Amino acid sequence: MGKPLFSCGYANFAWGSKAYGHVLDDQGRIWFYDLGRTWSPQPAGDGLYLETGLRERFRDPVLQSRRVPPAQLADMRKKAEIARGGRIEKKRVGHDAGGAGCEAYLWERSDAYREVELGSSGDYEIRSSSLEAGHLQAWLREELGMGTHPQSRRK
């Protein structure tokens, strides 16, 4: 897998351990991961996180058939930079529902990234004031099908 740029996933540890999703890398490839346990980012200082910790989250990924063309990927990366400036609002809306959300990863060092929250739902509803964040999340989920378990998709 190349450098992770975007991910959408689901996690719930209230009734067992579930943590899975998709990651889109800098080569336009989409990978499915099924971690099945808790995961925490590894701080690198100045609001950044270490790449090694992120790779632990996406360990043993399975390559999917869908690809994102380079021009479209470049446009998405620009939108993620803009989304970085959005104001994040977080509101608790449930209990034991887990969470489903999408993030972007901006690589500020070769070994460290900044996470940009695009939005999530579940126990907490997280929204960005950035229109680009909402557009990216919708595109990742609806157009690319990221964040759902492959076995749950209709055939």
Side-chain angles (χ1 to χ4, degrees):
M1 177 190 321
K3 289 268 191 202
L5 297 181
F6 298 93
S7 70
C8 292
Y10 171 79
N12 190 337
F13 303 107
W15 306 103
S17 290
K18 289 185 180 182
Y20 59 81
H22 292 90
V23 59
L24 172 60
D25 72 14
D26 61 352
Q27 304 298 307
R29 298 174 299 191
I30 299 171
W31 303 79
F32 176 75
Y33 67 93
D34 191 348
L35 188 56
R37 60 182 179 80
T38 59
W39 168 85
S40 296
Q42 296 175 352
D46 296 325
L48 300 178
Y49 298 98
L50 291 174
E51 178 179 13
T52 53
L54 190 61
R55 292 218 181 260
E56 177 67 19
R57 178 181 182 186
F58 304 137
R59 118 180 113 147
D60 300 326
V62 176
L63 184 61
Q64 307 295 287
S65 60
R66 180 86 188 250
R67 300 290 185 275
V68 176
Q72 193 170 24
L73 195 59
D75 183 53
M76 292 174 63
R77 290 175 91 165
K78 288 178 190 172
K79 287 182 179 183
E81 284 287 347
I82 296 168
R84 175 183 177 178
R87 186 176 25 81
I88 301 297
E89 296 176 11
K90 183 176 181 178
K91 178 171 65 170
R92 184 167 192 111
V93 294
H95 298 281
D96 298 340
C102 297
E103 301 92 27
Y105 308 108
L106 304 177
W107 293 90
E108 297 186 15
R109 296 188 338 218
S110 63
D111 68 338
Y113 65 95
R114 183 172 307 279
E115 182 178 285
V116 177
E117 180 71 54
L118 301 178
S120 67
S121 60
D123 288 345
Y124 289 91
E125 184 176 272
I126 300 173
R127 298 285 175 248
S128 171
S129 64
S130 166
L131 292 176
E132 287 79 8
H135 292 158
L136 283 168
Q137 182 179 18
W139 187 78
L140 292 166
R141 287 197 168 282
E142 295 164 20
E143 295 298 317
L144 297 180
M146 289 178 57
T148 60
H149 200 289
Q151 295 171 347
S152 68
R153 291 186 187 157
R154 292 189 178 136
K155 304 205 186 247

